[in-house]
Amino acid sequence: MTQTDKHAEIDSHSGMHTTGHEWDGIKELNTPLPRWWLNILYATMVWAFFYCIAYPAVPLIQSFTPGVLGWSSRQGVNEDLEKLRAQRAPIVAALSNASLQDIEQNPQLRTFAIAQGKAAFGDNCAPCHGAGGGGAKGYPNLNDDDWLWGGSLDQISETIHHGVRAADDDLTRVGAMPAFGREGVLTAKQISDVADYVRSLSKLALPAGADLAAGAAVFEENCASCHGEKGQGNQDMGAPNLADAIWLYGSDKSIIVEGLTNGRGGVMPAWTGRLDETTIKALTVYVHTLGGGR
């Protein structure tokens, strides 16, 4: 049978012509694509050809074809951003010239500041403090009312501007817990005793035989100068309140012992120079509204 004869063959089951292709006794039916589908395919090919001429499309060694229309998506984004900046310019100027207290008293400015601050927080702060400011181990929760360096508008602004133990040497907030064990200030037993005492301040369960009197003596001599006589903290030094149920690194005794032994001293960047003043102002207002602002 010739190839022509094969094409002329009609399948007995379907009544359709075959293509002449046969494998293992199975013959391929001649079922071409619908004409309307092929027409659409050809039209898209023609469209793609003219699109490559009109718009940037073909990559070159170090650039790309610009297209006869001279348009690019980047240019379009820049134009949209310029329009947005022009639209926002009056309220941005008002925000820039207003004090933090004035922003709090002006509903329109406050709403705008919160929106802009939320965007800045997501871009710059969320990697450490979480998308909603909930914090993580070693990174403060900004939704509660427990503040290491104070929760007023001015205090939050200062912390954002100059950071904590940051490169802004003259103005950054400074405060760190010494490595009492590593530096040989306290023995292992003294560290264990004071860890029990610290846990007792927030009414946590203690092991049998805990010597709270000895721990209190160690605390008074080594810790009270920063954390206060009753362990309620000192925001001027960034010393946390030890008498509540909020723990930055965790309340397990092993974690407290590790901190007393090796010290603590997290770092927050100074955002002055990284963010403009208006953005820092908006960020301050946003953080203040997360739940614990004072």
Side-chain angles (χ1 to χ4, degrees), residues 21 87 97 110 115 124 128-129 142 154 170-171 173 196 219 223 225-226 230 251 257 264:
H21 300 151
Q87 181 181 354
N97 295 325
R110 186 173 184 272
N124 301 280
C128 292
H129 291 284
L142 304 177
D154 291 334
D170 295 333
L171 298 172
R173 295 188 181 278
D196 287 333
F219 185 90
C223 311
S225 58
C226 292
K230 297 182 179 180
S251 61
V257 167
R264 299 284 189 200

Side-chain angles (χ1 to χ4, degrees), residues 82-100:
E82 286 301 321
K83 292 178 182 178
L84 183 61
R85 291 189 187 100
Q87 181 181 354
R88 290 180 173 179
I91 194 168
V92 170
L95 183 67
S96 177
N97 295 325
S99 67
L100 292 170

